[in-house]
């Protein structure tokens, strides 16, 4: 039992003490009593006490929230949990505490309420709904507001549940939602009340509750014509209503948080989802067809009209929050593909496209301020996927793209004519041109690239358009226009230019922008440069300026995080190949520095929030590209090793989970192309083994196998001399193959690893033969996956090739010889019923070679060392070798023919039975059983 409430208040007061010792002592006391009986009840009493200091109340509420989240229903049975009596007391009193508390405390108690509802409603809290209904029937605004908040918490519990699980929500909707509707109708109708922010917030809360209750499906009680019509009328009224000017913040950035704007936003949210779900009767489930038909005929156009009126305020200089503009344009974009809604839009399309949507695309005052005051934030917003989801500009561009996609004939000529007019007017006016509109036109042209590149009549005009309008924009005195010119040029770099001079002129314009005084211009130029370098047949123009270009590139990387910038570097490295060698060290060091900047110091040991994850991956990918380009210069790898070791050392552990594959690729290059596997590289072997011993490593076994193969094949002497390496291989492979919880496709690298040891250490690992055979044959007993069976029986073949007499002796002593040979020859004779009677097993060239070598080793074994059953079957063994050789020769012939037909390309794709797999030990293979 805990101390009294008064003592609890004193302890909570001590947690706020500036004295560290006092604070730590108080926190230790609280932690010690976390799950003591009566403790959370005392915390709730303190949090609810109106006479207590607000800071103490807040501390109690936060502590109550945290303990409830951990201990109400812990996932692990053995974890500490709250007493049932205390939870019952909380359920009996929290609603009243919730209602009576100020917002600062209520925000914490909301989470306690959520936990209690999540685990206890309705089974252990049957009286909650009747209590809430009682509060909804009062005139006490605090009780009503609190009740609606709790109803929303209940609806959120079932928001993502399937239809059957949401049946529990039916009584809530049937009892509470009629009252919520009445309240909403009353609040909307009474214009005098609109100035009351509390009531406006209540409107928003009711709308969010409806959103939560209908997220995946519209309950039957809300689909009735009279009920649905009443709700729809409310949404429509809120969308169309004039937001009171009184009380709105003067700061436009803060105005979006005004409760009535929030209410309008949630109304749009609901209308958008209803339209996307029920706007097309042909795409709904049979039980919703009649409802969808009614929605299409009676509702969709009504909403559309409200949306167009809402957006029309923008052309007159009116204010709308960005999210509302975004949602309204989303609805209009969806409406384009529906016949009835497009019919309503059609007379207004020019006004919509030119006076509303295009103006949103244009560079505006907010953009200008951000460009000047915080160019890095301007760049970040332009490349942020989440920002784009809520951006009015992104929604406007999507609208124009969809207009040209699904309503091409009627609207695309008008839109392109409008854009050309802007280009022409800006060209004529020169420095006095309306630069926001010019940037908007360039943005539109770039965004419509897919349609323009593929539409006859337009694709032929792309090169003249780029020469006449995009090229001059590089000379604009306005940075944002130059940035859009660089971006737009990159978008069209891949088209076929009739006049190579136009390509080179655009290329030169992009290169010149790398020295632009404005940071966003340089970033867009770097990104576009990648497109030009990738497309260019002649890169002689870049060669003289490559050192300066790389310097500029890495200077930018120090300022901006961008995956697309790193992609440009990869492209340059791939294009220049070995020519990049003089710059490899500097490039690698810069990329390593950029990586650590994105992921924290290399000496950092705490868990980090990995910001710029995509850019981090890009840095590692670029390093791998550099290493690959240096493959003919093995001496370079030793020079690069010191810079790369800290990344590999840290990121091959748990810290590098998000970049594990990329780091393994770097390690693979370092252990393959270097003259030898260095001692420093061998320090990473235990790190790989540790990963495979852990939970996360097995899923990367195929990736880990590549450097492990390199260690064994290119560092054989060190591998054999190392005290643990041989044991590591056996432990890892057996741990995977004998673990029935691991799916068979994930086991494939294990027998490949054993094969690697046998093939590279012939005559030097006799002690490995017996355990390798035991593991392979044990897994083979229950194996179902065809390809895994092949790899397991090939362990037998590899052991025979390694030392046939030793292998036969082991198999005989273990009583496994007959079973192993019978299984093997059964697989050799197994043929498919389709696809030309081809082998079902050992389909790769490599598989056949391994089998041939194993069988030939049997044939070459002295007669005195052959068991009787093997000697008796020698004719069958010879026949199997001949058959495999014939099939191998035919397969090699087919592969070479395919290579001749598709030089430098992929071959052998298609049906599994038509696999022309090459002679790579570690290649991926299809399997008909997978």
């Amino acid at each position: 039992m805990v101390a009294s409430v008064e003592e609890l208040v004193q302890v909570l007061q001590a947690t706020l003490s500036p004295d560290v010792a006092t604070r730590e002592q108080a926190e230790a006391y609280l932690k010690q009593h976390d799950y003591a009986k009566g403790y959370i009840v005392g915390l709730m009493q303190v949090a609810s006490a109106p006479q207590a200091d607000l800071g103490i109340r807040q501390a109690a509420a936060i502590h109550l929230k945290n303990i409830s989240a951990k201990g109400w229903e812990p996932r692990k049975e053995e974890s500490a949990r709250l007493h049932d009596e205390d939870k019952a007391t909380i359920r009996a009193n929290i609603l009243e505490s919730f209602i009576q508390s100020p917002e600062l405390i209520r925000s914490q108690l909301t989470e306690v309420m959520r936990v209690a509802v999540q685990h206890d409603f309705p089974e252990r809290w049957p009286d909650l709904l009747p209590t809430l209904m009682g509060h909804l029937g009062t005139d006490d605004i605090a009780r009503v507001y609190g009740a609606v908040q709790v109803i929303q918490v209940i609806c959120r519990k079932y928001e993502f549940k399937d239809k059957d699980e949401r049946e529990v929500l039916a009584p809530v909707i049937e009892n509470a939602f009629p009252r919520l509707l009445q309240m909403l109708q009353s609040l909307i109708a009474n214009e005098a009340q609109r100035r009351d922010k509390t009531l406006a917030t209540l409107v928003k809360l009711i709308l969010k509750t409806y959103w939560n209750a209908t997220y995946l499906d519209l309950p039957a009680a809300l689909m009735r014509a009279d009920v649905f019509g009443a709700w729809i009328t409310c949404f429509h009224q809120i969308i169309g209503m004039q937001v009171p000017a009184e009380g709105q913040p003067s700061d436009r950035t803060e105005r979006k948080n005004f409760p009535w704007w929030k209410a309008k936003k949630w109304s749009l949210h609901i209308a958008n989802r209803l339209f996307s779900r029920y706007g097309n009767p042909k795409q709904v489930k049979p039980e919703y067809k009649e409802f969808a038909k009614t929605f299409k005929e009676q509702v969709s156009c009504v909403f559309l009209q409200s949306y167009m009126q809402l957006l029309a305020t923008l052309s007159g200089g009116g204010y709308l929050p960005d999210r509302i503009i975004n949602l309204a344009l989303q609805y209009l974009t969806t409406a384009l593909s529906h016949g009835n809604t497009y019919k309503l839009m059609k007379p207004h399309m020019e006004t919509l496209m030119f006076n509303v949507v295009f103006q949103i695309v244009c560079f505006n005052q907010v953009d200008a301020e951000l460009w000047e005051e915080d160019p890095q934030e301007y760049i970040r917003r332009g490349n942020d996927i989440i920002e784009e989801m809520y951006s009015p500009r992104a929604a406007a561009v999507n609208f124009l793209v969809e207009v040209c996609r699904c309503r091409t004939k009627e609207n695309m000529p008008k839109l392109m004519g409008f854009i050309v007019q802007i280009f022409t007017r800006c060209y004529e006016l020169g420095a006095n041109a309306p630069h926001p509109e010019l940037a908007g036109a360039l943005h539109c042209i770039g965004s419509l690239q897919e349609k323009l590149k593929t539409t006859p009549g337009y694709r032929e005009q792309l090169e003249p358009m780029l020469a006449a309008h995009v090229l001059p924009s590089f000379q604009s005195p306005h940075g944002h226009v130059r940035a859009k010119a660089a971006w737009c040029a990159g978008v069209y770099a891949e088209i076929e230019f009739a006049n190579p001079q136009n390509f080179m002129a655009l290329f030169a314009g992009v290169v010149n922008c790398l020295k632009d005084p404005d940071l966003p211009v340089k970033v867009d130029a770097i990104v576009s440069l990648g497109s030009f370098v990738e497309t260019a047949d002649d890169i002689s123009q870049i060669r003289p300026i490559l050192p300066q270009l790389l310097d500029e590139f890495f200077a930018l990387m120090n300022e901006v995080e961008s995956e697309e910038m790193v992609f440009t570097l990869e492209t340059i490295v791939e294009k220049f190949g070995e020519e990049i060698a003089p710059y490899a060290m500097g490039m690698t060091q810069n990329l390593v520095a950029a990586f650590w900047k994105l992921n924290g110091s290399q000496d950092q040991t705490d868990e980090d929030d990995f910001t710029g994850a995509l850019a981090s991956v890009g840095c590692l990918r670029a390093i791998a590209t550099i290493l690959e380009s240096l493959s003919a210069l093995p001496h370079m790898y030793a020079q690069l090793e010191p810079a790369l070791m800290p990344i590999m050392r840290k990121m091959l552990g748990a810290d590098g989970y998000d970049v594990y594959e990329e780091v393994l690729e770097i390690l693979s290059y370092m252990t393959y192309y270097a003259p030898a596997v260095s001692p420093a590289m061998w320090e990473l072997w235990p790190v790989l083994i540790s990963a495979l011993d852990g939970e996360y490593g097995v899923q990367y076994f195929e990736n880990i196998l590549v450097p492990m193969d390199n260690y064994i094949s290119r560092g054989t002497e060190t591998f054999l001399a190392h005290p643990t390496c041989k044991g590591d291989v056996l432990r890892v492979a057996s741990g995977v193959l004998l673990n029935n919880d691991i799916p068979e496709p994930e086991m494939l690298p294990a027998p490949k690893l054993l094969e690697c040891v046998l093939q590279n250490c012939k005559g030097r690992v006799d002690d490995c033969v017996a355990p390798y055979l035991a593991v392979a044959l044990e897994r083979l007993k229950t194996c179902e996956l065809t390809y895994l069976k092949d790899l397991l029986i090939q362990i037998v073949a590899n052991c025979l090739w390694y030392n046939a007499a030793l292998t036969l002796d082991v198999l005989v002593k273990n009583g496994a010889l007959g079973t192993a040979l019978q299984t093997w020859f059964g697989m050799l004779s197994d043929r498919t019923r389709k696809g030309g009677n081809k082998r079902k097993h050992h389909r790769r060239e490599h598989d056949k070679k391994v089998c041939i070598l194993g069988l030939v080793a049997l044939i070459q074994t002295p007669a005195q060392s052959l068991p009787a059953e093997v000697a008796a079957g020698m004719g069958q063994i010879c026949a199997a070798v001949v058959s495999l050789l014939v099939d191998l020769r035919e397969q090699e012939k087919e592969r070479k023919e395919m290579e001749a037909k598709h030089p430098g390309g992929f071959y052998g794709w298609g049906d599994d039975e038509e696999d022309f797999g090459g002679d790579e030990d570690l290649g991926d293979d299809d399997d008909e059983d997978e």
Side-chain angles (χ1 to χ4, degrees):
M1 194 73 179
V2 297
S4 66
V5 171
E6 290 75 15
E7 291 182 49
L8 187 55
V9 168
Q10 292 176 4
V11 176
L12 289 167
Q13 179 70 57
T15 63
L16 304 176
S17 170
D19 181 67
V20 175
T22 302
R23 191 167 64 246
E24 288 179 348
Q25 185 178 0
E27 289 169 352
Y29 175 89
L30 293 176
K31 187 172 182 61
Q32 180 184 353
H33 290 83
D34 271 355
Y35 299 99
K37 191 173 182 180
Y39 179 59
I40 61 167
V41 175
L43 286 174
M44 187 175 69
Q45 289 174 332
V46 175
S48 309
Q51 73 279 8
D53 176 79
L54 191 58
I56 301 298
R57 293 179 65 183
Q58 185 181 24
I62 291 172
H63 208 48
L64 174 61
K65 175 192 70 174
N66 293 337
I67 296 172
S68 298
K70 290 189 295 183
W72 200 281
E73 287 293 338
R75 294 181 180 180
K76 294 182 179 179
E77 192 64 33
E78 66 273 14
S79 299
R81 58 184 59 238
L82 299 173
H83 291 267
D84 288 341
E85 296 92 331
D86 287 350
K87 292 194 288 187
T89 304
I90 294 292
R91 288 195 299 268
N93 295 280
I94 190 169
L95 183 56
E96 191 63 29
S97 297
F98 183 77
I99 291 169
Q100 298 297 337
S101 297
E103 179 58 33
L104 186 67
I105 308 302
R106 185 183 294 181
S107 63
Q108 305 300 328
L109 295 182
T110 299
E111 290 304 303
V112 181
M113 178 70 76
R114 186 192 62 77
V115 170
V117 166
Q118 183 69 32
H119 297 294
D120 293 354
F121 180 83
E123 294 84 0
R124 291 190 286 271
W125 208 351
D127 59 339
L128 177 59
L129 182 57
T131 305
L132 293 172
M133 292 306 301
H135 291 328
L136 286 179
T138 70
D139 293 328
D140 185 337
I141 188 62
R143 292 191 177 278
V144 171
Y145 188 87
V148 176
Q149 273 194 292
V150 177
I151 292 168
Q152 193 213 357
V153 168
I154 295 172
C155 291
R156 285 184 64 188
K157 174 182 177 179
Y158 299 97
E159 186 172 6
F160 303 108
K161 305 291 186 183
D162 60 32
K163 193 171 183 178
D164 292 338
E165 290 179 289
R166 283 204 308 276
E167 288 296 325
V168 181
L169 197 58
V172 177
I173 291 172
E174 290 168 1
N175 288 280
F177 273 61
R179 177 58 184 152
L180 295 181
L181 176 60
Q182 291 173 4
M183 291 162 52
L184 187 60
Q185 290 170 325
S186 173
L187 291 167
I188 294 170
N190 193 336
E191 293 188 22
Q193 292 180 320
R194 290 183 186 173
R195 296 171 182 166
D196 189 326
K197 289 185 180 180
T198 302
L199 297 180
T201 305
L202 181 57
V203 170
K204 179 198 75 173
L205 189 58
I206 293 171
L207 294 172
K208 289 179 68 175
T209 304
Y210 184 95
W211 168 269
N212 296 134
T214 61
Y215 188 82
L216 288 180
D217 202 3
L218 203 58
L222 298 179
M223 286 182 69
R224 294 202 314 265
D226 57 332
V227 176
F228 183 73
W231 280 101
I232 288 295
T233 300
C234 290
F235 303 148
H236 182 253
Q237 288 174 332
I238 293 171
I239 291 170
M241 70 177 281
Q242 189 75 25
V243 173
E246 185 177 335
Q248 288 197 50
S250 56
D251 186 347
R252 290 173 71 92
T253 59
E254 293 295 324
R255 204 176 300 172
K256 64 183 180 181
N257 297 318
F258 188 62
W260 277 115
W261 285 123
K262 290 279 191 180
K264 197 180 284 281
K265 180 193 78 171
W266 281 105
S267 294
L268 267 71
H269 260 308
I270 294 166
N272 283 19
R273 192 179 56 199
L274 290 171
F275 186 35
S276 63
R277 184 179 295 162
Y278 304 111
N280 188 348
K282 295 178 181 178
Q283 295 179 349
V284 300
K285 296 177 182 178
E287 60 266 32
Y288 296 121
K289 282 198 178 296
E290 285 303 314
F291 177 81
K293 186 178 178 182
T294 303
F295 182 90
K296 176 182 177 180
E297 294 172 353
Q298 300 180 15
V299 179
S300 60
C301 288
V302 174
F303 276 135
L304 177 61
Q305 206 146 20
S306 295
Y307 278 56
M308 289 194 293
Q309 290 170 359
L310 192 65
L311 290 171
T313 61
L314 293 174
S315 57
Y319 169 80
L320 287 178
D322 283 355
R323 186 60 172 138
I324 287 179
I325 299 171
N326 173 278
L327 289 167
L329 287 172
Q330 285 185 38
Y331 191 100
L332 266 63
T333 303
T334 305
L336 288 168
S337 58
H338 296 262
N340 65 320
T341 46
Y342 179 67
K343 184 178 179 180
L344 179 62
M345 293 171 68
K346 189 175 178 180
H348 310 284
M349 283 301 295
E350 290 189 35
T351 302
L352 272 173
M353 287 194 296
F354 308 149
N355 296 351
V356 177
V357 178
F358 177 76
Q359 302 307 320
I360 296 170
V361 177
C362 291
F363 192 79
N364 57 40
Q365 185 59 37
V366 174
D367 298 324
E369 291 173 3
L370 196 59
W371 180 285
E372 292 296 330
E373 296 170 8
D374 193 348
Q376 290 184 328
E377 176 63 12
Y378 180 90
I379 295 165
R380 188 200 66 78
R381 288 190 185 181
N383 294 286
D384 191 310
I385 298 172
I386 304 301
E387 289 269 358
E388 190 172 304
M389 290 173 59
Y390 304 109
S391 160
R393 181 171 288 124
V397 168
N398 288 341
F399 176 82
L400 294 176
V401 169
E402 187 68 7
V403 164
C404 293
R405 187 194 69 82
C406 67
R407 302 293 174 183
T408 309
K409 187 176 180 181
E410 297 164 326
N411 297 294
M412 193 165 172
K414 297 176 184 176
L415 177 59
M416 293 307 299
F418 175 77
I419 290 172
V420 169
Q421 285 178 9
I422 292 174
F423 281 143
T424 304
R425 187 166 75 253
C426 290
Y427 180 76
E428 292 171 351
L429 293 173
N432 297 319
H435 57 90
E437 291 187 10
L438 177 56
L442 290 168
H443 196 149
C444 290
I445 290 296
S447 301
L448 292 169
Q449 54 157 320
E450 289 187 15
K451 188 67 176 176
L452 293 174
K453 288 175 183 177
T454 56
T455 306
Y458 292 100
R459 64 185 175 208
E460 296 82 3
Q461 298 301 314
L462 285 176
E463 183 177 349
M465 181 271 296
L466 292 169
H469 303 301
V470 177
L471 194 54
S473 299
F474 282 106
Q475 306 305 319
S476 172
H478 304 286
H480 68 94
V481 174
R482 299 194 299 274
K484 274 291 173 276
W487 170 75
C488 195
V491 163
Y492 289 102
E494 64 178 22
I495 69 170
E496 188 173 339
F497 283 82
N499 182 357
Q501 292 303 314
N502 288 329
F503 176 86
M504 296 310 296
L506 290 166
F507 197 175
V510 169
V511 171
N512 288 335
C513 283
L514 297 177
K515 298 178 181 179
D516 197 278
D518 289 327
L519 182 64
V521 180
K522 291 193 281 191
V523 171
D524 277 332
I526 281 281
V527 174
S528 288
L529 183 66
S531 301
F532 278 97
V533 171
E534 190 172 27
T535 304
D537 295 324
D538 180 14
I539 53 172
S540 57
Q541 185 184 15
I542 299 180
R543 192 174 281 110
I545 62 166
L546 187 58
Q548 296 90 334
L549 191 153
L550 293 174
D551 288 343
E552 191 70 43
F553 179 89
F554 287 113
L556 274 177
M557 279 194 69
N558 288 328
E559 295 187 72
V560 180
E561 299 170 8
S562 170
E563 185 197 18
E564 291 178 316
M565 284 172 54
V566 181
F567 171 77
T568 295
L569 181 61
E570 285 185 81
T571 306
I572 291 172
V573 172
E574 289 173 357
K575 204 76 172 183
F576 281 90
E578 291 179 23
E579 292 184 59
I580 214 73
Y583 317 106
M585 177 61 74
M587 292 169 67
T588 302
Q589 289 173 338
N590 276 288
L591 286 165
V592 168
F595 177 83
W596 287 126
K597 181 183 176 184
L598 291 163
N599 294 280
S601 165
Q602 56 186 309
D603 300 320
Q604 194 169 341
T605 55
D606 296 336
E607 283 190 33
D608 302 311
D609 291 327
F610 279 67
T611 58
L614 291 176
S616 299
V617 170
C619 288
L620 296 179
R621 211 171 53 225
I623 291 171
T625 304
I626 293 170
L627 294 175
E628 186 179 20
S629 72
L630 300 174
S631 59
L633 303 168
H635 66 281
M636 292 290 300
Y637 292 87
Q639 298 174 27
L640 297 175
E641 185 180 285
L644 296 175
M645 272 304 294
I647 287 180
M648 291 187 283
R649 191 175 286 115
K650 182 173 184 180
M651 294 302 161
L652 285 173
D655 287 337
Y657 185 83
D658 293 330
V659 293
Y660 206 66
E661 292 180 57
E662 289 74 23
V663 178
L664 284 171
E665 185 179 6
I666 291 172
L667 177 60
S668 299
Y669 286 130
M670 294 298 294
T671 51
Y672 185 79
Y673 288 118
V677 181
S678 70
M681 287 294 112
W682 273 105
E683 293 175 13
L684 301 175
W685 172 276
V687 182
L688 297 179
I689 297 300
S690 177
L692 290 171
D693 286 337
E695 294 181 4
Y696 71 93
V698 175
Q699 62 184 301
Y700 294 107
F701 199 170
E702 194 72 43
N703 305 85
I704 294 173
L705 179 61
V706 179
M708 290 188 77
D709 187 336
N710 296 339
Y711 277 113
I712 297 166
S713 61
R714 305 194 71 251
T716 308
E717 297 304 320
T718 305
F719 173 78
L720 292 172
H722 196 283
T724 67
C725 281
K726 290 195 296 181
D728 291 339
V729 169
L730 178 60
R731 186 180 73 256
V732 165
S734 59
V736 170
L737 287 170
L738 303 181
N739 186 344
N740 292 324
D741 293 331
I742 297 177
E744 287 191 343
E746 293 184 15
M747 295 181 180
L748 296 174
K752 293 179 182 180
L753 179 60
L754 300 181
E755 177 182 86
C756 181
V757 175
L758 292 167
Q759 290 188 355
N760 288 284
C761 306
K762 188 170 185 178
R764 306 178 70 181
V765 287
D766 288 5
D767 56 327
C768 293
V769 172
Y772 285 12
L773 287 169
V775 170
L777 294 175
E778 181 62 29
R779 179 72 250 176
L780 194 60
K781 292 176 184 177
T782 57
C783 182
E784 296 181 0
L785 188 65
T786 301
Y787 184 41
L788 182 58
K789 289 179 185 177
D790 294 352
L791 295 175
L792 292 170
I793 207 65
Q794 283 169 36
I795 295 300
V796 177
N798 275 295
C799 286
L800 287 168
W801 172 80
Y802 174 86
N803 187 327
L806 173 61
T807 301
L808 290 170
D809 183 58
V810 170
L811 290 172
V812 170
K813 285 181 179 177
N814 292 329
L817 178 62
T819 303
L821 292 179
Q822 185 178 0
T823 302
W824 191 8
F825 279 89
M827 292 167 66
L828 287 171
S829 62
D830 202 359
R831 298 276 177 165
T832 60
R833 296 179 182 178
K834 59 179 182 177
N837 193 31
K838 293 192 175 183
R839 291 184 182 276
K840 185 176 181 181
H841 296 274
H842 312 301
R843 294 179 298 163
R844 300 183 309 165
E845 292 178 26
H846 176 80
D847 300 337
K848 293 179 178 66
K849 290 177 182 179
V850 170
C851 289
I852 291 168
L853 289 172
L855 293 172
V856 169
L858 273 180
I859 295 171
Q860 293 175 334
T861 302
Q864 63 271 22
S865 299
L866 284 177
E869 58 263 51
V870 176
M874 193 56 68
Q876 185 180 0
I877 294 172
C878 291
V881 171
V882 172
S883 176
L884 283 165
L885 285 169
V886 170
D887 286 353
L888 178 61
R889 184 176 64 180
E890 183 63 27
Q891 188 170 353
E892 288 176 338
K893 179 184 175 184
E894 291 176 351
R895 173 173 53 80
K896 289 174 182 177
E897 289 175 354
M898 291 294 291
E899 288 173 344
K901 290 180 182 177
H902 307 282
F906 294 99
Y907 53 88
W909 292 84
D911 190 283
D912 289 342
E913 302 300 332
E914 299 297 328
D915 187 356
F916 295 101
D919 192 23
E920 285 109 11
D921 293 1
L922 304 180
D924 291 330
D925 299 271
D926 293 327
D927 193 288
E928 60 190 20
D929 292 344
E930 290 186 44

